[in-house]
Amino acid sequence: MEDEIVILGSGGGRHHIRTQYRATGGILYKFNGIQSHIDPGPGAIVRLNQFKEDPVKTELFIVTHAHVDHYSDLSAIIESSREILHDRNYNYYKKGTLITTNEMLEYISDYHLNMLEKIVKFEAGNRLIYKGVEIIGTKTVHSPEIDGFGIRFNLKNYSIAFTSDTMVYNGFSEEFSGCNILILNLLRPNSIVCKRHLCTDEVIPYLNNINPPLDNLIITHFGSYMDSPRSTKNYVPSQVIKLQVNTNIRNIVAAEDGLKIKIRKLLK
Ligand SMILES: [Zn+2]
Ligand SMILES: [Zn+2]
């Protein structure tokens, strides 16, 4: 299994949940032979099958916060991560690790939690070594009601981070310093500000302050202002150009549903 990102959904927010105009299945991240599923939102299990990925291979489940576009399919994904659930005496096999916020555990049944080998309650600033890979919780400023974190993986040859849903904040650039690849949840285009998310114009100066500069930026989790029947056009291509022109980042990629990117190709 080569290190790879698979976009199981490039959409975010309630309108894409309803319309599935852009899918909301989260991201598969494969590293060091480990398959992780980050933020399995509505339709995650459908998208895994649609894009010919194997849910049985998933062993690491990550939910960054308790919003439905990030967690709704978690139970289905845990149950689908094994072909056989239990032995003849209904002793359930345990498999996998779940990394998530404390409050997220209230949204998932004991039946599914008991299928897991390990549950790691996580928040920004936390650090975990998973099979030799350092995993760090990054700060988010998102919903005042719920906790959340972004997540960063420091591997031997590269470092990759997922911002999760957040606004920009003091220290945003430092959080991702030393990253080769950043996956940015960019809900809104240009200067269309949102109190709980970030837009292109707001984030550009923060991206330019990441030191050393990122090699790659992958934008995803587009909201309805960005591209949907409610928007006047698909703003994604123009945001890619804007980021290319106005940042010091070598390579900008726009997520599409089903897009598969080998990490090797990003590290050239
Ligand atoms: Zn979201
Ligand atoms: Zn959210």
Side-chain angles (χ1 to χ4, degrees):
M1 192 193 293
E2 201 180 324
D3 288 19
E4 187 180 32
I5 293 280
V6 180
I7 304 293
L8 297 173
S10 60
R14 78 187 88 102
H15 296 291
H16 288 303
I17 293 174
R18 183 183 72 254
T19 62
Q20 292 293 299
Y21 186 80
R22 281 182 181 260
T24 52
I27 297 178
L28 273 194
Y29 170 43
K30 305 173 191 176
F31 62 100
N32 284 4
I34 297 156
Q35 181 163 298
S36 67
H37 195 146
I38 301 173
D39 289 344
I45 190 63
V46 176
R47 303 305 171 185
L48 278 164
N49 286 288
Q50 180 186 353
F51 302 131
K52 310 250 177 311
E53 293 295 332
D54 184 0
V56 175
K57 289 183 180 152
T58 302
E59 63 169 77
L60 182 58
F61 312 89
I62 298 167
V63 174
T64 60
H65 62 292
H67 278 163
V68 76
D69 54 333
H70 297 255
Y71 78 78
S72 73
D73 273 18
L74 176 61
S75 301
I77 293 298
I78 291 172
E79 196 162 321
S80 304
S81 67
R82 62 216 73 196
E83 281 177 34
I84 301 162
L85 288 185
H86 52 71
D87 67 16
R88 293 168 72 180
N89 299 316
Y90 280 83
N91 295 309
Y92 280 79
Y93 297 119
K94 285 183 183 287
K95 180 195 165 183
T97 296
L98 170 64
I99 300 174
T100 193
T101 60
N102 192 25
E103 68 200 346
M104 184 51 224
L105 299 178
E106 293 167 23
Y107 291 70
I108 172 167
S109 68
D110 286 343
Y111 175 75
H112 288 104
L113 289 176
N114 285 329
M115 288 184 190
L116 296 161
E117 237 164 17
K118 200 174 171 194
I119 295 158
V120 181
K121 294 178 191 172
F122 215 54
E123 56 185 68
N126 284 177
R127 177 178 177 270
L128 167 78
I129 302 292
Y130 185 81
K131 298 189 176 175
V133 174
E134 183 182 47
I135 299 179
I136 289 170
T138 62
K139 181 178 165 179
T140 58
V141 178
H142 183 39
S143 162
E145 289 97 27
I146 60 156
D147 300 328
F149 57 84
I151 194 153
R152 174 172 176 166
F153 299 76
N154 294 325
L155 290 91
K156 215 157 99 188
N157 300 328
Y158 69 95
S159 174
I160 183 169
F162 301 76
T163 65
S164 184
D165 289 356
T166 185
M167 298 170 70
V168 287
Y169 53 81
N170 256 339
F172 179 93
S173 309
E174 290 73 17
E175 218 51 345
F176 306 112
S177 129
C179 275
N180 303 91
I181 305 159
L182 182 65
I183 288 88
L184 177 73
N185 286 14
L186 183 63
L187 272 92
R188 293 190 170 190
N190 300 323
S191 58
I192 303 178
V193 172
C194 169
K195 274 190 175 164
R196 296 185 172 192
H197 296 282
L198 47 76
C199 63
T200 307
D201 292 359
E202 278 178 321
V203 77
I204 283 174
Y206 290 87
L207 293 173
N208 280 326
N209 275 335
I210 298 175
N211 193 15
L214 296 167
D215 295 323
N216 296 273
L217 177 71
I218 300 172
I219 54 173
T220 188
H221 211 66
F222 305 127
S224 63
Y225 280 83
M226 186 71 95
D227 180 31
S228 82
R230 299 175 79 242
S231 65
T232 46
K233 63 169 186 178
N234 176 7
Y235 283 92
V236 174
S238 62
Q239 302 312 292
V240 170
I241 292 167
K242 196 171 212 179
L243 289 161
Q244 276 165 345
V245 170
N246 294 293
T247 72
N248 54 12
I249 304 165
R250 191 169 52 84
N251 185 34
I252 315 282
V253 178
E256 293 296 334
D257 298 344
L259 179 69
K260 303 186 183 192
I261 313 165
K262 296 264 188 273
I263 299 294
R264 173 173 45 89
K265 295 199 171 155
L266 298 176
L267 296 177
K268 268 180 193 165

